[in-house]
Each structure stands twice: as C-alpha cells, then as structure tokens.
Amino acid sequence: MAIIKVTDDDIKVQSDSLAQLREYFSMRAMERGSSFTYDIHTYGCQLNESDSEKIIGMFQQMGLSDNKDHEGKDPDVVLLNTCAVRENAEDRLFGNLGEFKKTKRSNKDLIIVVCGCMMKVEENVNRIKKSFPYVDLVFDPQQLHRFPELLKESLNIKKQLVNVGTEDYIADDSLIPIARQRKFRALVPIMYGCNNFCTYCIVPYARGRERSRDFNSIIDELKTLESQGYKEVMLLGQNVNSYMGEDGKHTFPELLRAAAEMKGFSRIRFMSSHPKDINAEVIDIMASYDNLETHLHLPLQSGSDRILKLMNRPYNIEQYMSTVELFRSKIPDGAISTDIIVGFPGETEEDFQHTLDVVKTARFDSAFTFQYSPRPGTKAAAMKDDFISHDVVTERFGRLLSLQNELTFDSNKAKVGKVEEVLIEGESSTAPDILTGRTRSNHLINFTIPDELKVQGYSANDYEGKLCTVKFTNARPYSVDGVMESLKNE
Ligand code: 5AD
Ligand code: SF4
C-alpha cells in the first residue's frame, strides 16, 4: 500500500472542478428558481466530524447551502459520512439508504453520496452496487480531497460511480476548503491512519497507514485559528503520540509545546493517546502550561494482560497503571477517561474481574464502554470459536457500567465547593437560562448566571466560547451544577 503525496496539480483539478460545479449548480438554480442545498449526516469520531467540515467547505464553494436553513425544502444532495468502528453501523446505513429509495423516486435529481470508513469494507460496497443502484457516488476516506472531481464525474456519467482505492494519500490540508462547524472549537487533525492493528479494530484497514501532517502546516493553521479567535483546539489522530511530521523529524511533545505557546488558546486538547506511546514528557508539558487540558484520554480496552496480548495491545497493566499514577501525581486535579471493550473473544470471568479491578484502582473519571463486535476482515473476527454469548456480554457490560457510573458520579462530587475556569459551550439542553461548558479537566458543567453578571443584550448563545469561573454547587451522575462567579473579558 503506497502513501501518495497529493500534488499541486491534483489540487488544481479539484479547484477547477469546484468552480465548474459552482457554475453548474448556479445555472440549474436559476432555471428552477431555487438554490441548491446539501444534507450531511456524520457518524463516528471527531476525525469523521473533521472530514465533514472539509466536505461542507467544498459544498459551500460549489454554492450549496445547508438544507437545515431552508425550512420545508427537500435537499438536493444527501451525503452520509459513515463509521465502521462498531456494530449497528451497517444496519443504520442500509436502513437509511432504503428510506432514500422513496425520496429518489419522487425527486430523480436527488444526488446521494456515501463515504467514510464503511466504504473500505468490500462487502458494504458490493451491497450498495447490488441493492442500492440509485446511490450516485461512493468514495473512501483517503479520497476525500477528490470529492469535487468525483462529484463532477458522477454527474457527467449519470450512473453509479464507485471510487475506492488502496492508496493512502497525504494532502496539504491548507489547500482543502474547510467550514468549521463550531464557533469556539477547532478540530485539527495532525495525522491520519493507524499502524497498530489492534486485532478487533477496523481503523487501520479503513484509514490506512499512519501519515503525519507537515509540522509547519499545522503551526500555520493553529496561528490562523488563534487570530480568528478560536479558544479551543483539538489535535486529532488515532495515536497522536506517534506524530512525527511529514519529514519524520518532529515529535508530538514538540508540537504540543508549540501549540501551548500560543496564548490565544485557552484550551488545547488532544486525542487519542496509545498507552504504549504516551510518555512522561507529554505529562510534564500538560502540567506546565495552563492552557492545556488537564484531561487525558487513555484507552485501556481490557484489564487482563492475557486479553491485551490477544488484542495486540503491546502494554501490560503494570505499565498502564504506572502512567495513570504518574499523571495523578503530576496533575492531581486532572481527569482520566478511557475506552473499554467487554466480551472480546475468549474473555473469561477472571479476565473480566481484572478489568473491574483496574477500573476500581485507576478510578477513571469517565469511560466509554463497548460490547465487542466482530469487524469484517480483522484478526479477532476470525476467532469465531471463542465468541462469547450475548447474554454473558450484556451481563458483564451491566456490571462494568454500574461500577463506572459510580466512579463518574464520585468524580463529579469531588468538584462540589470548588471554583474553576469553565469554557462556555452554549445554552444547556437541560433548562432555559442555563449555560453549559467544560472545565480544563473536561467535566461537564451546567450553571446559572447571577443577574449582576448577565451581559445586557446577550442571549445564551452569545456566551459561547467565552471563559468564566464557576462555583460548583451540586453533583449529578454525568454533570455538575454551578453558579457563575465571574465572566472573563476578552
Ligand atoms: N468492538 C467494540 N468496540 C470497539 N472499538 C473499536 N473496535 C471495536 C470493536 N470491534 C472501541 C475501542 C476504541 C473505540 C474508539 O472503539 O474501545 O478505543
Ligand atoms: Fe484501532 Fe488500535 Fe489504531 Fe486505536 S490504536 S485506531 S484501537 S488499531
């Protein structure tokens, strides 16, 4: 599998295609008397969210607007950016595509596009070819930068175009349009792909080999974001700690430090860290800059050394726990979250007990817990004989969840009485007049503003992206209540 650098000529093809599509859609809009719109559905992780921001950027350059802003109108282009990491993804995609059959019957001009990680799984693509011939365009995540060219071609040929390759591309992201979807948080991928091949995981197949972005290009993007007033940046990669720059001469700590030196940012986050690669240097940097999040996402996956081996996770619990202890000692107010899979093939009750033990000792502040699901083409999917019955998995999952719920609640309770800085994310969905935001440790806070601190003429959403201090008054299972103490001036 080759890694191909996207050339300036390739990019020129895309910008030419964008201009031609813009002309095409504007001409058609004039003919029919209404503008063209897109409807995008994004599933999965922040990397998919980031890809969708690029797709939206391209849609906008084609002159299309979000269908959500046109009440009562049907979209002209529907795009599904899929995720293949866990189960149900297939059912949901094919269910959705079935629904579109009716829509397409009443609107023959509707353009349906499917992309994302599921398109790297051959059987999914074959099923689209066979059962959903009305899907216009299919492409894989590595071809994202080619979306304008592919869309143009699919409109020209007027039949299904499937473009799924084996190449991994690395493009200069600064040349690809992007429409950031959040006012205060910017997603910045620093690397693509994964080389780890954990035996349960489809990502290395779906996203290809690790490619680190050019160091200076990331720094330039960060500087631009800082000058645009973004308060929070999230550095993204499947395994950020193996970042090395495009030339192989850089490191993640170097990048993290350079980002932290940009004082316009009040929150710098990064995801995900692999326990085998995170090191003391990263934790030291986290402890020494006050604009770095004090939250570490450190996927455990299993508390059993035996299962970790079967998962091809090259660390053991002793090593994992020494990282946890180091983090807790250097950043006592910090928080650790994790990912755990229950029911990996061959997991015994004893293995599972080890997971519960580690969870108890590590006292995770929060955790994403998953029931194992075999992913096509992965090594673990071939361990069929060792699959565990659904009932056993559900029962274990329930026990893990109730333990973790207790720990998450404890972590929230420990905040009560404290005053901390909160980055406001907007209006809370819990009640009107309540704002929501996060602490540096990534705790979710819902809080009120005393009348004397309210800014005249502000609606709840005008506070989005601002920093304030909040006194925490009450803990809930998944959040903390509080009252604003002061609002920081810009
Ligand atoms: N089954 C269940 N959970 C999975 N994850 C990845 N692959 C699978 C799978 N086949 C979980 C891991 C990973 C998170 C993003 O999704 O815990 O860290
Ligand atoms: Fe998947 Fe493992 Fe890579 Fe994470 S590190 S994306 S779990 S293969």
Side-chain angles (χ1 to χ4, degrees), residues 133-184:
Y134 49 86
V135 169
D136 297 276
L137 172 61
V138 170
F139 63 92
D140 68 70
Q142 278 79 317
Q143 320 244 352
L144 182 79
H145 63 282
R146 294 185 59 204
F147 175 47
E149 177 193 359
L150 297 172
L151 183 61
K152 195 184 99 184
E153 197 181 330
S154 98
L155 289 172
N156 276 341
I157 60 173
K158 293 195 172 62
K159 59 177 192 202
Q160 188 171 79
L161 175 65
V162 174
N163 210 292
V164 178
T166 51
E167 305 87 0
D168 294 338
Y169 291 94
I170 178 86
D172 181 351
D173 278 3
S174 68
L175 301 175
I176 300 174
I178 184 158
R180 300 195 187 271
Q181 296 298 292
R182 300 197 202 214
K183 221 154 103 185
F184 62 92

Side-chain angles (χ1 to χ4, degrees), residues 179-208:
R180 300 195 187 271
Q181 296 298 292
R182 300 197 202 214
K183 221 154 103 185
F184 62 92
R185 176 186 299 158
L187 306 175
V188 179
I190 62 168
M191 58 184 299
Y192 296 99
C194 182
N195 287 351
N196 290 312
F197 287 95
C198 301
T199 54
Y200 52 80
C201 185
I202 200 152
V203 169
Y205 306 92
R207 293 257 168 194

Side-chain angles (χ1 to χ4, degrees), residues 397-416:
F397 186 76
R399 274 190 281 160
L400 174 64
L401 203 62
S402 63
L403 169 63
Q404 183 53 50
N405 283 345
E406 246 176 71
L407 294 172
T408 304
F409 200 3
D410 284 351
S411 167
N412 289 338
K413 283 179 192 157
K415 288 281 178 202
V416 176

Side-chain angles (χ1 to χ4, degrees), residues 424-437 445-449 454 459-461 463 476 479-484:
I424 306 174
E425 297 192 353
E427 194 172 13
S428 159
S429 55
T430 51
D433 259 5
I434 293 192
L435 296 181
T436 187
I445 313 293
N446 291 313
F447 58 101
T448 51
I449 319 179
K454 283 190 178 143
S459 72
N461 285 333
Y463 291 96
R476 293 179 190 266
S479 63
V480 181
D481 299 338
V483 183
M484 187 193 281

Side-chain angles (χ1 to χ4, degrees), residues 13 122 227 264-265 307 309 329 341 361 397 411 444 474 489:
V13 172
E122 209 178 337
S227 69
F265 297 131
I307 295 292
K309 265 210 188 91
S329 68
I341 299 176
T361 325
F397 186 76
S411 167
L444 182 64
N474 177 47
N489 291 324

